[in-house]
Amino acid sequence: MSSLFASLSRVADLGGPVVMILMAISVLTLALVLYKLWQFRASSVGKHSALRRAIAAWDNGQVGEAESALARSHSYLAPLIAAGFAAAPRDRLAAEAEARFARLESGFRALDSVAQLAPLLGLFGTVLGMIDAFQSLQSAGSQVDPSLLAGGIWVALLTTAVGLAVAMPTAMVLSWFEARMDGERVFADTAIQTICAPRASRANA
């Protein structure tokens, strides 16, 4: 662990303030990702087996079995399904579902901003480093040492590497979160349609 901190400290010293900013952003991003994972787990995102049984029973006109299955669900959508069983209007159910999705999607914009801005911030650090390297080269005059330029360039490119290292995992995690929420929207929309127009009521009409 101490060697890891020593390596990170060396990278920060070489990259300068831009790398330090990127490292701070990476820590905040990791904290946000961990919070969203906890929130998804606490809300039982994707765990709707009891709700599916309740909706299927309701669709077949088995009201008692539907309510029994619903009582065993820990999903954040369970109150929405209960409101549907109580004959809440479809528009109200859709609005309530979107409100619940909005709470789960809070923080997505921050992750998207990190994924987009981290490479640009790294490139900005590289440009500053290149300017510094060429200034040093100019100051050397006719006695140019190639190692001086090479050293300045690789240090400058370090900020771009750090920016990409922050952006790429963030973009992947955000894509995974968004895919999960797309699935939640499909499930909720199907559930609302089924509850508001069950097969049993259509067959009796």
Side-chain angles (χ1 to χ4, degrees):
M1 184 63 71
S2 60
S3 60
L4 175 62
F5 283 122
S7 299
L8 291 176
S9 177
R10 183 168 181 269
V11 170
D13 290 339
L14 289 173
V18 173
V19 168
M20 295 181 69
I21 292 172
L22 285 168
M23 291 174 67
I25 290 174
S26 70
V27 171
L28 294 175
T29 301
L30 178 60
L32 178 57
V33 168
L34 292 176
Y35 169 72
K36 297 308 296 183
L37 289 173
W38 171 84
Q39 187 184 30
F40 273 41
R41 181 180 177 85
S43 300
S44 297
V45 172
K47 298 178 181 179
H48 304 310
S49 56
L51 285 185
R52 286 189 172 91
R53 289 194 295 271
I55 294 167
W58 182 269
D59 196 30
N60 292 321
Q62 301 167 341
V63 177
E65 184 176 341
E67 292 176 345
S68 177
L70 179 61
R72 294 192 295 271
S73 175
H74 300 289
S75 170
Y76 71 103
L77 290 175
L80 178 71
I81 303 304
F85 287 174
R90 180 177 300 181
D91 291 344
R92 179 179 175 184
L93 293 176
E96 177 63 24
E98 282 301 321
R100 292 174 183 272
F101 296 151
R103 285 194 289 270
L104 287 172
E105 290 175 341
S106 63
F108 281 16
R109 183 166 295 182
L111 293 177
D112 183 59
S113 296
V114 170
Q116 293 188 40
L117 294 179
L120 296 178
L121 189 58
L123 182 60
F124 176 66
T126 294
V127 171
L128 293 179
M130 293 292 287
I131 291 173
D132 185 63
F134 281 110
Q135 283 180 337
S136 299
L137 192 63
Q138 182 183 23
S139 299
S142 59
Q143 299 184 0
V144 176
D145 184 0
S147 63
L148 181 65
L149 180 60
I153 290 176
W154 83 259
V155 170
L157 291 174
L158 182 64
T159 60
T160 296
V162 173
L164 292 174
V166 173
M168 289 187 292
T170 303
M172 292 176 63
V173 170
L174 177 60
S175 179
W176 182 79
F177 280 144
E178 290 177 338
R180 294 293 299 273
M181 292 309 302
D182 287 343
E184 293 296 292
R185 279 190 165 83
V186 171
F187 173 78
D189 183 61
T190 303
I192 291 171
Q193 297 292 337
T194 302
I195 292 170
C196 293
R199 183 188 303 121
S201 65
R202 295 196 302 270
N204 296 329

